[in-house]
RNA sequence: GCCCAUGUGGCGGAAUUGGUAGACGCAGCAGACUCAAAAUCUGCCGUUCGCAAGGGCGUGAAGGUUCGAUUCCUUUCGUGGGCACCA
């Protein structure tokens, strides 16, 4: 009987499906465990080997928790709204709904072949009206709420309206409020809503007549067509995530994310404490507000820099400078934020002609504009201190602005020094004060003089929440006379209308603006962004078919937080912050009972592609093996061509397959071999179709089986680590599973397993394995767990152990990793029930007790020998044994050791 | 540029987190079984000196702390991810 994985896997997948083995109940006496993957965007390329990495890890964990007695929720769904489907529609005319449907079918069949334990009855799709009805409903909750600064939480906007009607606000009286027009009232309320509408800048491409994503803009021109792209102000929707900045920071203390992930979120939020100060302008009424975290450097300010988009630029620019400023503004408009930040070496800027007055000493300082200052951060203006800030210094040198030194010897005249440890000089009332101390003194002075105030600043901006696109959730909003009016709950979902064309509307509005019916109803024409649906999907899985509410409160109280969330770091700041914010809002409004969605986060690494290249002699059909490319006549005379990684074995090209590849494009190729082989070059790149480095899991599952595929993906390395995909090692894992099989059945002899009683050596192997697998599985250390299984099976094979008492326990341990083969063997050794619900083996330490240990003995930290010493031995005994050892005596050469270090159970080090 | 991660044999990686560097697997080499092939099994497998015993070197690079450093600190180089309309 041989290991016929194809038959076994199909059989069990069917049986599990028939008896609903993965159905999850919301009603159980068992403890709950919620294991979630970041759901995929169903792209047209299908699943590649990178996708399943995290899915397999979470599947193993789910199955393991189930064996340990938990009621496990492990769902899967699709993030099916998004830009790629729309771009594909523009290119091919196929409707996104159709392509998305097709892609999801492909994804599902691919996922099923790998044998995941999903409860498909709980599947969700963000583009399904039954789902996005609740996305729209939640948007309305955000729209109808404001952030109460006293309570530090979201409250219904009606409470604010009542307050305005009854007592007014800081800025207006109740009588004022009641006298305002509807539009004026709406505008004031809009400034407090958690989902609000305002004006923002977008990438505008005049030639395409559309707004573009940053990804669609390359070096200032559109990716499609290469047309110029400029910034344009348009009405947009935003989420007031900045209101939650502090709570998003505090919440990080309560969750189990990696430190690096928390760092990334903290940096994104970018909280800083400093002062906002006003500089008056000489001969002009304007005042420029700057934000600084270093008010101690105020006497070192040699110029001010405004962001080119700053609203005062126009007002303060002098006649002489007008032309130059306009020219500079045109230049800036063509550059993306990312370019502006990245190209630091290229110093650009322009003098406005205006001078500001230093509020402390009255010194006149020139006002410049430069693109290294971003409008979105702080006040969009900075005070430049060249002796303390390198960018300011570079700018000053480039434009010959004299540098004031306030830090004495700490400044060498050649580069800035951002120290806080200098004693201040040339600094008026701060002279002689240590900079660290001067910060607080300067703050007090600013307060005292009334020229500014202390301020906490955040780098984070409110989140743009509208897209001028078709394939997204419509906003449940109508516009009447400039007032945004929400739809009533019973009008939801507002369904996305079916269209045949996806081109932008007039003035760059979304494609919905082309629909007469839509415009007649005065519906909002933009749609929600990709992250709308993904900001709350983890709640819908709990109660996916509820028509009355997004998720019943009793159900969300039961499942509560996601216990483990698995996904890539690329979502570190976007998706994770948005879903954390939505959760906090829902918590504030009493819709759910917890305010952090994810208790623990596991970051999976990226699987990169391993590209292969062949080298062709220029202008010929002759190909040269990799080792010969830089030799003789070939040097510098070859082109490098991507070749399909699937027709290369390691680095050796399969010549027959190559000739057939791409419908025989290289059919008449000739090859110059080395040592009888044709070798390719290797490079690690992003996995992508165009680089011919994608590997389809289907092919591997067909060839080796799902169990082998699952274990091999885990064996590649730690889940958190990025690594290039290489199919080469999969044979080893397959061999291992066949070896496991042979402990039960022999190809010739048939059944070999027995009911004999195991001996101590066999129990030792088993319990060593239980201990290792249990802790590795709990800690997501799956590569070492696979290795431990291999060691265990190797040892059992060496011991010729075919005993059921040992083997059935091994089957339970391995069931989360290789469920099909485990279930097959479990059933064939006549166990009743399914291995999916077996009781997890319990580790017993008594089998691992040892009488002695081979201690490594080092001389001066270098290993020289090992000595077998009783496990219980203490220092004096060990000392005597070590000194009596031949090798140690040889190294001592008659001398006394200076010191002997003994770490019980670890090692001995003799210092000479 | 800023933020985060990472660097160990020919390759993927391991190392109880300061205590035997290279577990496990791939590839390779040698052998057994076979008419042959596949499958399987056995041995070798960082580098260098040496017949051997044994020694030197070795975790991107350079310093430092320590009895002892892949692990901690400083500096530096390379690679990957993110940077707000890709998801």
């Amino acid at each position: 009987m041989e290991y016929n994985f194809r038959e076994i896997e199909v059989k069990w997948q069917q049986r599990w499906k028939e008896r609903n083995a993965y159905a999850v109940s919301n009603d159980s006496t068992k403890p709950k465990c919620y294991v979630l993957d970041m759901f995929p965007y169903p792209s047209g390329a299908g699943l590649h080997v990178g996708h399943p990495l995290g899915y397999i890890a979470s599947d193993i964990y789910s199955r393991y928790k189930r064996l340990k007695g938990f009621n496990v929720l492990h769902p899967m769904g699709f993030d099916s709204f998004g830009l790629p489907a729309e771009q594909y529609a523009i290119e091919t005319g196929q409707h996104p709904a159709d392509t998305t449907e097709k892609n999801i079918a492909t994804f599902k069949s691919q996922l099923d072949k790998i044998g995941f334990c999903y409860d498909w009855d709980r599947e969700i799709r963000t583009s399904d009206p039954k789902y996005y009805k609740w996305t729209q409903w939640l948007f309305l909750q955000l729209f109808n709420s404001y952030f109460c600064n006293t309570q530090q939480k979201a409250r219904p906007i009606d409470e604010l309206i009542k307050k305005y009607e009854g007592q007014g606000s800081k800025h207006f009286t109740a009588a004022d409020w009641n006298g305002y027009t509807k539009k004026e009232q709406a505008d004031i309320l809009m400034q407090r809503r958690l989902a609000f509408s305002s004006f923002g800048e977008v990438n505008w491409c005049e030639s395409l007549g559309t707004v573009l994503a940053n990804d669609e803009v390359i070096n200032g021109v559109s990716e499609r067509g290469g047309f110029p792209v400029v910034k344009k102000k348009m009405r947009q929707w935003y989420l007031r995530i900045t209101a939650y900045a502090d709570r998003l920071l505090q919440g990080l203390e309560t969750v189990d994310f990696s430190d690096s992930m928390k760092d990334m979120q903290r940096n994104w939020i970018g909280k800083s404490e400093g002062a906002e100060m006003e500089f008056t302008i000489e001969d002009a009424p304007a005042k420029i507000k700057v934000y600084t975290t270093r008010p101690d450097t105020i006497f070192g300010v040699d110029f001010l820099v405004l962001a080119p988009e700053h609203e005062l630029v126009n007002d303060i620019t002098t006649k002489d400078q007008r032309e130059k400023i306009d020219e500079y503004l045109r230049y800036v408009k063509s550059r993306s934020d990312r370019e502006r930040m990245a190209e630091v070496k290229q110093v650009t800027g322009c003098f406005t002609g205006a001078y500001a007055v230093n509020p402390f000493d009255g010194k006149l300082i020139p006002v410049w504009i430069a693109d290294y200052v971003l409008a979105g951060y702080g006040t969009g203006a900075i005070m430049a201190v060249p002796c303390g800030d390198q960018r300011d210094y570079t700018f000053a040198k480039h434009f010959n602005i004299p540098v004031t030194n306030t830090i004495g010897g700490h400044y060498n005249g050649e580069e800035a020094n951002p120290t806080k440890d200098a004693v201040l000089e040339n600094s008026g009332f701060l002279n002689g004060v240590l900079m660290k101390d001067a910060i607080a003194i300067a703050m007090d002075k600013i307060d005292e003089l009334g020229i500014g105030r202390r301020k906490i600043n955040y780098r984070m901006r409110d989140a743009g929440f509208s897209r001028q696109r078709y394939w997204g959730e419509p906003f449940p909003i109508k516009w009447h006379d400039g007032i945004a009016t929400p739809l009533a709950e019973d009008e939801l979902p507002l369904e996305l209308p079916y269209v045949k064309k996806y081109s932008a509307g007039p003035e760059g509005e979304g494609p919905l603006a082309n629909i007469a019916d839509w415009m007649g109803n005065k519906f909002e024409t933009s749609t929600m962004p990709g992250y709308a649906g993904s900001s709350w999907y983890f709640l819908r899985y709990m109660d996916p078919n509820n028509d009355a509410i997004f998720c019943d409160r009793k159900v969300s109280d039961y499942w509560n937080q996601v216990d483990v969330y698995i996904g890539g770091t690329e979502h570190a700041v976007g998706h994770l912050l948005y879903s954390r914010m939505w959760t906090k809002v829902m918590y504030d409004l009493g819709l759910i009972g917890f305010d952090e969605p994810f208790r623990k986060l596991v970051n999976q690494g990226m699987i990169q592609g391993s590209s292969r290249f062949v080298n062709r002699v220029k202008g010929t059909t002759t190909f040269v093996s990799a080792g010969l490319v830089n030799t003789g006549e070939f040097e510098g005379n070859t082109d490098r061509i991507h070749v399909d990684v699937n027709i290369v074995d390691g680095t050796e090209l399969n010549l027959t397959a190559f000739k057939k590849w791409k419908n025989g494009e290289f059919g008449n190729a000739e090859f110059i071999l080395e040592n009888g082989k044709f070798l390719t070059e290797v490079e690690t790149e992003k996995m992508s179709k165009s680089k011919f480095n994608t590997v389809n899991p289907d092919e591997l599952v067909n060839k080796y089986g799902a169990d082998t595929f699952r274990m091999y993906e885990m064996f590649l390395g730690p889940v958190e680590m990025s690594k290039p995909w290489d199919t080469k090692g999969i044979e080893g894992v397959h061999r291992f599973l066949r070896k496991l099989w042979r402990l039960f059945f022999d190809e010739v002899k048939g059944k070999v397993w027995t009911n004999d009683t195991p001996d101590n050596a066999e129990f030792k192997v088993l319990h060593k394995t239980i201990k290792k697998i249990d802790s590795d599985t709990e800690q997501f250390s799956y590569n070492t767990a696979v290795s431990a299984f291999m060691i265990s099976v190797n040892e059992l094979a060496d011991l010729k152990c075919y005993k059921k008492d040992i083997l059935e326990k091994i089957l339970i341990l391995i069931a989360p990793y290789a469920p099909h083969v485990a279930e097959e063997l479990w059933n064939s050794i006549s166990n009743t029930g399914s291995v999916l619900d077996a009781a997890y083996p319990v580790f017993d330490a008594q089998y691992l007790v040892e009488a002695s240990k081979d201690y490594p003995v080092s001389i001066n930290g270098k290993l020289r020998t090992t000595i077998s010493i009783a496990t219980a031995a203490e220092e004096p005994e060990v000392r005597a044994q070590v000194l009596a050892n031949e090798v140690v005596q040889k190294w001592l050469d008659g001398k006394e050791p200076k010191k002997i270090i003994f770490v019980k159970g670890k090692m001995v080090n003799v210092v000479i």
Side-chain angles (χ1 to χ4, degrees):
Chain A
M1 237 178 112
E2 62 174 25
Y3 172 37
N4 190 339
F5 56 86
R6 283 195 195 93
E7 214 168 89
I8 291 169
E9 290 176 0
V10 169
K11 175 172 100 188
W12 286 109
Q13 281 173 12
Q14 248 164 27
R15 290 210 193 162
W16 288 327
K17 198 173 173 184
E18 279 160 20
R19 67 176 189 84
N20 248 334
Y22 300 129
V24 183
S25 164
N26 285 348
D27 184 23
S28 166
T29 51
K30 291 180 188 172
K32 70 96 190 184
C33 184
Y34 186 0
V35 184
L36 183 65
D37 288 288
M38 289 183 184
F39 62 167
Y41 175 80
S43 80
L47 215 57
H48 61 65
V49 288
H51 287 103
L53 186 77
Y55 305 158
I56 295 170
S58 67
D59 199 65
I60 289 170
Y61 193 76
S62 303
R63 290 169 178 275
Y64 163 77
K65 281 290 175 184
R66 176 169 174 171
L67 290 171
K68 284 256 176 174
F70 287 83
N71 185 29
V72 182
L73 178 56
H74 181 48
M76 181 50 82
F78 300 94
D79 191 10
S80 45
F81 270 138
L83 184 57
E86 187 159 340
Q87 283 173 328
Y88 191 70
I90 292 170
E91 285 163 27
T92 66
Q94 293 186 64
H95 196 276
D98 300 335
T99 51
T100 300
E101 182 74 26
K102 212 169 74 193
N103 294 347
I104 288 178
T106 309
F107 265 65
K108 275 181 85 167
S109 86
Q110 287 184 298
L111 288 170
D112 278 339
K113 280 185 198 143
I114 303 170
F116 293 119
C117 61
Y118 303 131
D119 180 355
W120 278 121
D121 289 341
R122 291 174 183 261
E123 178 194 338
I124 57 175
R125 302 175 182 190
T126 54
S127 61
D128 182 347
K130 282 195 196 120
Y131 179 87
Y132 70 69
K133 169 181 177 178
W134 298 109
T135 307
Q136 291 173 336
W137 185 84
L138 286 165
F139 169 81
L140 290 182
Q141 308 309 304
L142 289 156
F143 179 79
N144 286 321
S145 302
Y146 77 108
F147 192 80
C148 172
N149 290 316
T150 334
Q151 298 177 62
Q152 282 293 298
K153 64 186 214 179
R155 297 301 307 156
I157 195 92
D158 291 344
E159 291 182 9
L160 189 65
I161 297 172
K162 279 217 180 74
K163 191 190 140 207
Y164 286 167
E165 285 169 350
Q167 52 199 98
S169 81
K170 260 189 269 177
H171 308 288
F172 51 79
T173 65
D176 288 342
W177 172 262
N178 294 318
Y180 289 153
T181 63
K182 279 238 163 91
K183 170 84 166 89
E184 283 165 338
Q185 289 182 347
D187 286 349
I188 289 167
L189 290 175
M190 195 59 104
Q191 288 169 30
R192 299 299 303 274
R193 294 182 190 276
L194 287 179
F196 66 99
S197 171
S198 168
F199 283 88
E201 287 195 328
V202 292
N203 299 313
W204 170 253
C205 181
E206 182 69 46
S207 310
L208 294 171
T210 182
V211 174
L212 296 175
N214 281 347
D215 268 27
E216 298 174 291
V217 184
I218 293 169
N219 298 324
V221 298
S222 64
E223 187 182 26
R224 196 155 38 96
F227 304 112
V229 175
V230 296
K231 292 277 161 56
K232 183 183 178 178
K233 273 210 167 179
M234 280 183 85
R235 181 170 277 286
Q236 300 289 338
W237 285 90
Y238 294 89
L239 297 186
R240 203 175 302 282
I241 193 169
T242 49
Y244 278 88
D246 264 322
R247 280 179 56 193
L248 287 168
L249 281 174
Q250 286 158 17
L252 288 176
E253 309 297 328
T254 69
V255 294
D256 184 5
F257 294 6
S258 68
D259 287 339
S260 59
M261 178 64 54
K262 290 183 180 182
D263 272 354
M264 272 192 258
Q265 296 209 359
R266 286 194 192 104
N267 286 324
W268 179 269
I269 295 169
K271 181 175 183 171
S272 66
E273 293 178 33
E276 202 171 84
M277 250 188 295
E278 281 182 353
F279 285 71
T280 52
I281 300 292
E282 194 196 30
D283 301 329
K287 283 184 178 174
I288 295 175
K289 267 190 196 170
V290 302
Y291 175 77
T292 177
T293 54
R294 295 293 302 275
D296 54 312
T297 62
I298 182 72
F299 292 96
V301 176
D302 291 314
F303 52 100
L304 297 188
V305 188
L306 306 188
E309 299 87 351
H310 196 283
E311 52 185 4
L312 292 179
V313 171
N314 200 31
D315 299 349
I316 63 172
T317 300
T318 58
K319 265 190 214 136
D320 302 348
Q321 292 298 109
R322 174 71 59 189
E323 208 169 298
K324 282 185 184 159
I325 286 283
D326 286 346
E327 188 186 325
Y328 186 67
L329 290 178
R330 276 195 297 277
Y331 159 75
V332 169
K333 228 179 169 187
S334 70
R335 282 161 57 85
S336 70
D337 278 8
R338 207 173 297 175
E339 286 172 314
R340 284 168 62 171
M341 284 185 288
E343 289 168 22
V344 176
K345 280 172 196 142
Q346 190 184 342
V347 181
T348 68
C350 187
F351 180 44
T352 61
Y355 286 86
V357 183
N358 187 322
F360 284 96
D361 59 7
K363 197 173 120 186
L364 289 182
I365 45 185
V367 181
W368 289 65
I369 62 171
D371 68 355
Y372 76 93
V373 176
L374 300 177
Y377 181 62
T379 59
I382 61 155
M383 53 181 230
V385 183
C387 72
D389 182 288
Q390 191 56 42
R391 280 177 316 181
D392 297 347
Y393 176 84
T394 315
F395 193 86
K397 282 290 150 189
H398 189 263
F399 290 107
N400 286 317
I401 303 168
V403 176
T404 307
N405 179 17
T406 61
I407 54 175
H410 287 265
Y411 172 65
N412 63 9
E414 278 164 25
E415 57 182 2
N417 184 344
T419 181
K420 288 181 184 174
D421 295 323
V423 173
L424 286 160
E425 300 174 12
N426 294 325
S427 292
F429 70 94
L430 291 174
N431 274 336
V433 183
L434 193 64
M435 295 178 101
K436 277 179 190 156
D437 305 327
I439 294 177
I441 298 173
M443 293 265 198
D444 289 342
K445 196 82 175 176
I446 290 165
D447 280 339
E448 193 186 312
L449 295 175
I451 50 171
R453 58 197 178 101
R454 280 163 202 271
K455 194 171 180 203
I456 290 172
N457 213 21
Y458 300 94
R459 182 175 296 115
M460 180 168 70
R461 309 196 289 266
D462 284 326
F465 196 67
S466 50
R467 305 289 183 258
Q468 281 62 51
R469 305 280 177 193
Y470 168 69
W471 192 234
E473 300 87 347
F475 283 84
I477 292 285
K478 284 184 179 187
W479 288 94
H480 290 296
D481 306 323
I483 300 172
T485 320
L487 297 193
E489 213 170 292
D490 61 13
E491 292 176 281
L492 302 182
L494 172 59
E495 289 205 26
L496 186 65
Y498 197 90
V499 297
K500 293 213 168 121
K501 279 193 156 180
Y502 315 93
S503 44
E507 291 304 301
E509 282 194 73
L512 294 177
N514 293 327
I515 303 173
D517 201 30
W518 194 262
M519 297 312 284
N521 278 305
K522 303 190 170 161
F523 287 132
E524 165 68 45
T525 57
S526 57
T527 54
M528 298 189 204
Y531 67 83
S534 62
S535 290
W536 71 281
Y537 75 111
F538 47 91
L539 293 167
R540 190 63 179 171
Y541 282 132
M542 299 174 179
D543 198 7
N545 300 310
N546 196 328
D547 287 333
I549 187 163
F550 71 99
C551 176
D552 189 89
R553 176 68 194 261
K554 266 197 220 111
V555 176
S556 65
D557 280 350
Y558 172 68
W559 287 112
N560 208 271
Q561 286 172 291
V562 173
D563 292 281
V564 184
Y565 193 30
I566 300 182
T569 44
E570 65 272 23
H571 298 284
V573 288
H575 161 63
L576 280 169
L577 275 176
Y578 301 135
S579 45
R580 290 183 59 219
M581 180 217 171
W582 283 49
T583 303
K584 286 175 191 303
V585 175
M586 286 187 249
Y587 171 77
D588 289 350
L589 299 176
L591 299 169
I592 53 174
F594 46 92
D595 87 332
E596 280 291 340
F598 315 117
R599 191 201 309 282
K600 180 184 167 77
L601 180 71
V602 174
N603 285 119
Q604 104 212 28
M606 245 201 191
I607 297 270
Q608 292 145 332
S610 184
S611 303
R612 298 292 187 280
F613 298 89
V614 290
N615 289 281
R616 180 172 60 188
V617 179
K618 282 185 176 153
T620 71
T621 52
T622 304
F623 292 82
V624 189
S625 184
L628 307 172
V629 170
N630 288 320
T631 59
E633 49 173 320
F634 304 123
E635 194 164 357
N637 193 29
T638 53
D639 295 318
R640 216 155 163 252
I641 304 168
H642 268 105
V643 64
D644 190 342
V645 68
N646 295 293
I647 57 170
V648 180
D649 178 19
T651 57
E652 189 186 350
L653 182 69
N654 180 333
L655 300 183
T656 336
F658 180 66
K659 286 188 169 187
K660 284 184 201 149
W661 186 51
K662 282 192 165 176
N663 296 322
E665 184 180 329
F666 302 108
N668 49 6
E670 286 169 46
F671 303 97
I672 300 176
L673 310 178
E674 52 183 312
N675 306 321
K677 292 175 177 176
F678 188 93
L679 303 183
T680 56
E681 289 180 355
V682 181
E683 203 174 289
T684 300
E685 300 178 290
K686 210 170 179 155
M687 212 176 248
S688 110
K689 254 185 165 176
S690 63
K691 297 191 172 89
F692 300 105
N693 60 6
T694 59
V695 179
N696 187 329
D698 293 4
E699 288 169 28
L700 297 173
V701 170
N702 281 340
K703 194 162 172 198
Y704 300 99
D707 288 334
T708 296
F709 178 70
R710 290 166 62 104
M711 289 193 94
Y712 181 58
E713 282 239 359
M714 293 300 98
F715 192 52
L716 277 178
V719 185
E720 320 80 63
M721 220 70 88
S722 292
K723 55 232 154 190
W725 177 267
D726 190 347
T727 307
K728 231 174 151 187
I730 198 167
E731 293 275 359
V733 177
H734 192 60
R735 273 198 274 262
F736 153 73
L737 284 177
R738 284 210 306 267
K739 192 164 183 176
L740 170 74
W741 183 268
R742 285 200 304 273
L743 292 177
F744 297 79
F745 296 102
D746 186 283
E747 257 178 69
V748 185
K749 286 182 271 181
K751 165 182 177 286
V752 291
W753 63 271
T754 70
N755 282 310
D756 297 349
T757 311
D759 60 26
N760 269 346
E762 290 160 346
F763 274 124
K764 187 178 166 186
V765 172
L766 172 65
H767 283 272
K768 203 174 70 182
T769 308
I770 295 174
K771 187 178 181 206
K772 176 82 176 148
I773 298 299
D774 194 3
S775 76
D776 278 0
T777 309
E778 183 68 56
Q779 293 167 53
F780 293 90
S781 182
Y782 297 153
N783 56 329
T784 54
V786 174
S787 146
F789 279 124
M790 289 172 169
I791 293 168
S792 168
V793 167
N794 286 345
E795 287 178 351
L796 290 175
D798 288 345
L799 289 170
K800 303 206 183 324
C801 171
Y802 307 113
K803 296 163 185 168
K804 180 179 168 181
D805 285 356
I806 299 289
L807 295 180
E808 67 175 2
K809 300 286 192 299
I810 298 286
L811 287 181
I812 302 169
L813 294 177
I814 208 169
Y817 294 81
H820 310 86
V821 68
E823 185 79 303
E824 174 70 16
L825 290 170
W826 176 264
N827 276 266
S828 49
I829 59 173
S830 70
N831 271 307
T832 47
S834 165
V835 74
L836 303 179
D837 293 307
Y840 206 78
V842 178
F843 167 63
D844 186 343
Q846 66 157 329
Y847 294 104
L848 302 193
V849 177
E850 297 273 1
S852 68
K853 174 184 166 61
D854 283 337
Y855 272 89
V857 177
S858 308
I859 312 287
N860 288 338
K862 270 199 178 299
L863 178 77
R864 295 302 176 187
T865 187
T866 58
I867 307 177
S868 177
I869 301 175
T871 322
E874 295 297 337
E875 173 133 22
E877 199 186 333
V878 172
R879 192 184 169 91
Q881 277 198 51
V882 167
L883 288 180
N885 180 276
E886 228 179 286
V887 178
V888 176
Q889 283 189 353
K890 193 190 99 188
W891 282 94
L892 277 173
D893 199 18
K895 284 173 281 186
E896 269 298 298
K898 275 191 201 144
K899 211 197 263 181
I900 293 183
I901 289 152
F902 168 63
V903 183
K904 198 173 174 183
K906 298 262 186 191
M907 47 63 72
V908 181
N909 188 17
V910 180
V911 186
I912 302 176

